[in-house]
Amino acid sequence: MKHTDTEVIRNALLVWYRRSQRDLPWRKTTDPYKIWVSEVMLQQTQVKTVIPYYLDFIRTWPTLNDLASASDQAVLKKWEGLGYYARARNLHNACIRVARDMNGDIPVTFDGFRQLPGVGDYIASAVMSIAHGLPHAVVDGNVKRVLARLHCIDIPINQSSAHKHFKTQASALLGNADPGSFNQAVMELGALVCTPKNPNCAECPIQKACKAHDRQEVAAFPKRLKKAPVPVHHIAIGVIRNNGRVLITRRQPTGLLGGLWEFPGGKVKAGESAEDACVREIKEETGLRVTIDSYLTQVKHAYTHFKIRMDVFYCSRHSDRVTLNGPVDHAWVSLEELPDFAFPKANLKFIPALEISDDKPH
Ligand code: SF4
């Protein structure tokens, strides 16, 4: 592409962005901490879901030092329902490191910021360009889609080598004048105009430069590799009642849903009934012998790479001593105390239906 074409596209996008950008809470600040929090939340989650979480998070911990002083349980509780909990753990750990080792000052260079836990190319580019005007191009799903259509790029956007190619393309468009606004402009165009389905090309500020539009091939871009079908795991878990309390266990601090609390249970093996799996998993994880009292419900939930179908049972225990194998902690809690703990979304789907006033079978 010629230099002049690049200039025309850049200016058209910036003019459009200044006129059409959404009024979002993190756009009212230049505080790198707040921009960092917003970008971490936005990395895997839609804007409308993020807004209330962001406002609540910033109200609770308005500065980096406030967040660094918080307990990991409090941070996970605030993140509850937002998913991808490693994001919260990494952000918290990074803030602790900045508060402890850097006098609370977030690094002002891309490489310095990139050293912190959970700060990858996207977060570093977004925060450094928006907060400090550094010329680092962001590449997310919206950016890839816009660029794939703009240049008719054949590389599948979900191919592992795609990031490097799109980063080069995005960097070529970026310029030095206002990289923070430009990055946000491309992402905003992808969110509002160049949408995955039915893009609004008639209103697009870069329509004249768009190759896919010119060739009437918009629907053919971006290209994607076919994904393998998503596996569905069958899970069985137990609500073990004990004098008006139930047993919850805490997952290991790292890995999927790390650090969250849950009801004990696990995967149903091939040929095994959900009831047998529930009894077996509870014995393996907690050492408790239980029997099934009754069936509560089935919950379905989709994660990025798999789905779960979870059968939930009320159980009675026939032994007292909890010996953990896998979980790192346990607690017997009342219904009133359950909201104090951070749970995965799949657990939150049945918790409101719980009745645990006695130990008798339903
Ligand atoms: Fe996307 Fe259409 Fe604009 Fe091309 S013209 S960038 S396909 S909205």
Side-chain angles (χ1 to χ4, degrees):
M1 198 179 339
K2 287 185 298 200
H3 179 65
T4 47
D5 294 341
T6 309
E7 289 275 294
V8 168
I9 292 171
R10 188 183 303 141
N11 289 337
L13 272 170
L14 282 171
V15 168
W16 171 83
Y17 179 66
R18 285 179 193 126
R19 199 181 56 226
S20 311
Q21 63 176 287
R22 287 168 292 179
D23 181 19
L24 301 173
W26 46 88
R27 290 189 176 152
K28 300 184 198 323
T29 181
T30 53
D31 179 347
Y33 162 70
K34 291 177 184 163
I35 293 166
W36 184 9
V37 170
S38 73
E39 290 299 341
V40 172
M41 288 183 171
L42 286 165
Q43 207 177 6
Q44 310 273 3
T45 311
Q46 290 188 338
V47 165
K48 70 173 189 302
T49 307
V50 165
I51 291 173
Y53 278 92
Y54 170 82
L55 292 173
D56 188 29
F57 204 90
I58 293 298
R59 221 179 355 252
T60 308
W61 299 299
T63 69
L64 179 141
N65 285 323
D66 293 328
L67 179 56
S69 308
S71 72
D72 60 344
Q73 260 312 289
V75 174
L76 283 175
K77 184 67 196 168
K78 279 280 172 241
W79 211 270
E80 186 183 66
L82 205 52
Y84 301 97
Y85 296 89
R87 295 183 297 177
R89 294 194 303 268
N90 282 330
L91 174 65
H92 188 215
N93 288 333
C95 288
I96 290 171
R97 195 184 291 180
V98 172
R100 188 189 58 210
D101 302 341
M102 302 171 190
N103 202 26
D105 297 326
I106 298 171
V108 294
T109 63
F110 181 88
D111 291 338
F113 188 49
R114 187 84 167 70
Q115 304 297 318
L116 294 171
V119 178
D121 181 75
Y122 171 83
I123 294 290
S125 300
V127 175
M128 288 298 116
S129 66
I130 297 168
H132 301 302
L134 298 185
H136 294 278
V138 296
V139 175
D140 71 348
N142 281 327
V143 173
K144 283 188 199 162
R145 184 171 61 255
V146 170
L147 292 176
R149 289 170 174 166
L150 180 64
H151 300 312
C152 282
I153 296 170
D154 279 323
I155 297 173
I157 57 168
N158 55 344
Q159 184 172 293
S160 51
S161 61
H163 181 86
K164 202 170 165 208
H165 183 82
F166 283 95
K167 179 86 180 176
T168 306
Q169 295 287 343
S171 302
L173 272 184
L174 186 68
N176 287 319
D178 188 356
S181 294
F182 181 80
N183 278 332
Q184 293 183 88
V186 186
M187 291 191 279
E188 194 80 334
L189 189 80
L192 300 182
V193 177
C194 194
T195 46
K197 286 185 187 148
N198 305 318
N200 189 0
C201 299
E203 301 288 326
C204 179
I206 54 172
Q207 187 212 85
K208 285 197 176 80
C210 179
K211 271 195 193 162
H213 183 264
D214 185 46
R215 296 180 191 171
Q216 300 188 354
E217 289 179 3
V218 171
F221 294 93
K223 307 282 187 198
R224 283 179 180 280
L225 291 177
K226 267 214 175 100
K227 279 191 194 156
V230 179
V232 180
H233 300 313
H234 188 189
I235 308 283
I237 65 166
V239 178
I240 309 167
R241 293 168 299 174
N242 177 18
N243 293 325
R245 293 176 179 272
V246 291
L247 179 68
I248 56 173
T249 55
R250 191 172 184 201
R251 295 175 70 93
Q252 309 236 358
T254 53
L256 181 74
L257 311 174
L260 296 189
W261 291 81
E262 64 185 3
F263 288 82
K267 270 190 201 168
V268 180
K269 291 180 179 170
E272 190 180 33
S273 71
E275 288 86 346
D276 287 349
C278 181
V279 170
R280 176 184 55 74
E281 284 282 346
I282 289 173
K283 180 83 176 75
E284 286 172 10
E285 278 188 0
T286 69
L288 288 178
R289 280 186 296 110
V290 299
T291 49
I292 304 287
D293 291 335
S294 59
Y295 183 68
L296 174 60
T297 189
Q298 185 175 84
V299 165
K300 292 181 178 171
H301 191 69
Y303 294 95
T304 313
H305 301 298
F306 63 92
K307 295 179 181 174
I308 61 166
R309 178 165 54 91
M310 189 163 78
D311 286 317
V312 188
F313 299 93
Y314 282 117
C315 304
S316 291
R317 77 201 158 93
H318 301 287
S319 57
D320 283 332
R321 199 178 147 78
V322 173
T323 310
L324 295 178
N325 176 26
V328 293
D329 200 0
H330 79 285
W332 291 97
V333 295
S334 65
L335 269 190
E336 292 71 34
E337 290 165 329
L338 281 175
D340 297 339
F341 297 82
F343 286 93
K345 219 168 186 174
N347 279 222
L348 295 175
K349 286 181 178 175
F350 69 81
I351 283 176
L354 285 182
E355 291 175 12
I356 55 170
S357 55
D358 60 51
D359 285 355
K360 305 229 164 46
H362 279 211

